[in-house]
Structures are given as C-alpha cells and as structure tokens.
C-alpha cells in the first residue's frame, strides 16, 4: 500500500502458495487501502471493492462531443494478485512484489525455479528496478521446504559476487517465533519473551507467568 500510493506508473504483485491465498492477502490490502485517510488515498478507478487489481488511476469517463482530452490525474499504478504458476509476473516490469509462503509452493511451481524466473521482472539489464519481499514459515523438506532452502542458501549476504550481490539477489532474514508469538504480547504491545517475575496481563487480558 505504501509503495503503491506514492509512486507513479508502477506494477506491484502478490503471489502466495495458492491463488486463493493470494486473493485473501489482496482483500486485506483493499481493506487497509479503504481505511486510509482521504489525503493519503490517491485517485482510483472507482471500483467499489476490487477483486483482482487495484488501479490507482482516474475513472474512465465518456467524453462529451467536442470535449478536449485532459491529462489523467491518477498515479497510473496498479496492485494485483496472481495465481501460483511458474510464469506468474514473468515479463512484467515489477516494482514491488510480495511472494508469500514461498516454502509451501506446489510441486509444479518449485520456488527454486520460480524465483529465478520472476527475479528478471525486477531488473532491466544489469539495473535493479524492483524489490521483492519473500516470506514464509517453512514446510517439511519434501513439501516445498527443500526448494526454499536452496534459495535461502543462495541469499547469504556474506557471500557476494563482483557486483556486490548475493547469488539469488535476496538477503537472508530469520525472525524467531518467540518475538511474535500470538498470545505472548503484554497490554502495551511488547513481547513477553522471558518468564516474568510476577504474572503479566497479555493484550488479550489473560494473566501469564510463562514467556514465549
């Protein structure tokens, strides 16, 4: 939402482990977009609740006879979700992408192959023109985890080529579950990691004496 609402003429895409999961993320995005204050919400095409694509552009209007054509006022940017296919977003100039649950992709779309296809959509020649956020909890090795681990191993920031890039073009980032385990936040939003000296009330109103 942040990138899509401040940059002009860009394409942003979402892919998850299945098309229906991509659609769920997109619905959450639309809900967040519609809650933006009006001064942060750019002009959009007027579709009440977009199902597959949010088009941040002026609504199409029928011109009256003799009416001059004026320059459109919209950003010309769109955000859309895609089905989980090996060529999803391939060939598009993608500015930002979210590749969700990438360690759980189906066998016909092994992530170790898909990433190196979609990666080219974020570059123009040798120039990087887009960024991707690749996130997942990890499936068993035989159910997508192995392919994801292959890309993870290629993303070590301490191993770079002559251009200063990792093999995959991505950077590893591991966040332990203890930092964001549901039910383990105090009433102020801080994670309860260690066992507290005295029971603490969680953000759900439950007293706990055990840390995450």
């Amino acid at each position: 939402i942040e990138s899509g609402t401040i940059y002009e003429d860009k394409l942003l895409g979402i892919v998850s482990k299945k098309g229906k999961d991509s659609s769920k993320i997109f619905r959450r995005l639309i809900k967040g977009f519609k809650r933006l204050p009006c001064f942060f919400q750019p002009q959009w095409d007027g579709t009440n609740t977009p199902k597959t694509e949010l088009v941040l552009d002026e609504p199409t209007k029928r011109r009256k006879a003799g009416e001059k054509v004026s320059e459109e006022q919209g950003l010309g940017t769109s955000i859309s979700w895609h089905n989980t296919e090996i060529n999803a977003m391939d060939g598009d100039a993608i500015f930002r992408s979210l590749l969700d649950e990438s360690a759980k992709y189906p066998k016909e779309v092994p992530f170790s192959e898909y990433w190196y296809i979609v990666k080219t959509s974020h570059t123009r020649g040798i120039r990087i023109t887009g960024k991707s956020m690749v996130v997942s909890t990890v499936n068993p090795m035989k159910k997508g985890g192995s392919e994801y681990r292959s890309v993870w191993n290629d993303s070590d920031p301490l191993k770079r080529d002559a251009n200063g890039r990792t093999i995959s073009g991505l950077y590893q980032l591991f966040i332990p579950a203890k930092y964001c385990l549901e039910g383990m936040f105090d009433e102020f939003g801080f994670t309860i990691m260690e066992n507290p000296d005295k029971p603490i009330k969680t953000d759900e109103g439950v007293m706990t004496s055990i840390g995450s």
Side-chain angles (χ1 to χ4, degrees):
I1 293 176
E2 189 269 346
S3 295
T5 53
I6 63 176
Y7 291 100
E8 293 182 309
D9 301 317
K10 303 296 184 183
L11 297 177
L12 294 84
I14 299 168
V15 176
S16 190
K17 62 182 183 290
K18 293 182 180 179
K20 65 178 183 180
D21 296 288
S22 305
S23 177
K24 288 179 182 178
I25 296 172
F26 184 76
R27 288 201 300 270
R28 288 166 58 189
L29 181 143
I30 293 300
K31 184 180 292 185
F33 174 79
K34 294 173 76 172
R35 289 177 175 176
L36 287 176
C38 60
F39 47 83
F40 281 143
Q41 199 176 80
Q43 193 168 26
W44 49 316
D45 68 352
T47 306
N48 185 38
T49 303
K51 302 298 183 183
T52 59
E53 183 177 34
L54 173 62
V55 179
L56 301 173
D57 216 339
E58 187 178 42
T60 303
K61 298 178 181 178
R62 184 184 297 276
R63 287 188 293 118
K64 299 178 181 178
E67 183 180 358
K68 293 183 178 181
V69 179
S70 60
E71 186 177 354
E72 293 182 352
Q73 299 299 310
L75 286 174
T77 289
S78 67
I79 307 173
S80 58
W81 67 268
H82 303 261
N83 281 312
T84 314
E85 300 171 349
I86 197 68
N87 290 313
M89 293 193 286
D90 181 32
D92 295 329
I94 302 298
F95 180 62
R96 295 285 185 269
S97 67
L98 169 63
L99 307 184
D100 179 56
E101 295 291 15
S102 303
K104 301 177 181 179
Y105 280 18
K107 290 184 178 180
E108 62 271 20
V109 190
F111 186 67
S112 53
E113 292 182 26
Y114 175 68
W115 167 246
Y116 290 101
I117 293 174
V118 75
K119 176 185 174 183
T120 62
S121 298
H122 297 75
T123 61
R124 182 177 298 169
I126 63 170
R127 188 162 61 91
I128 296 173
T129 54
K131 300 288 185 181
S132 184
M133 181 177 288
V134 180
V135 299
S136 191
T137 50
V138 183
N139 245 13
M141 292 297 104
K142 294 183 179 180
K143 296 183 178 180
S146 178
E147 292 83 355
Y148 186 79
R149 182 172 64 179
S150 174
V151 178
W152 169 270
N153 291 338
D154 287 347
S155 306
D156 187 343
L158 299 179
K159 299 177 182 178
R160 304 184 184 229
D161 61 20
N163 292 318
R165 302 176 188 175
T166 64
I167 296 173
S168 70
L170 297 168
Y171 296 144
Q172 297 172 346
L173 174 62
F174 175 70
I175 303 175
K178 65 181 180 180
Y179 289 111
C180 49
L181 187 63
E182 190 172 352
M184 285 283 100
F185 295 95
D186 66 20
E187 57 186 322
F188 304 106
F190 293 101
T191 305
I192 306 170
M193 285 194 291
E194 306 298 334
N195 294 344
D197 295 331
K198 297 179 180 180
I200 294 178
K201 182 184 292 187
T202 71
D203 59 340
E204 297 175 346
V206 178
M207 301 300 292
T208 183
S209 57
I210 301 174
S212 60

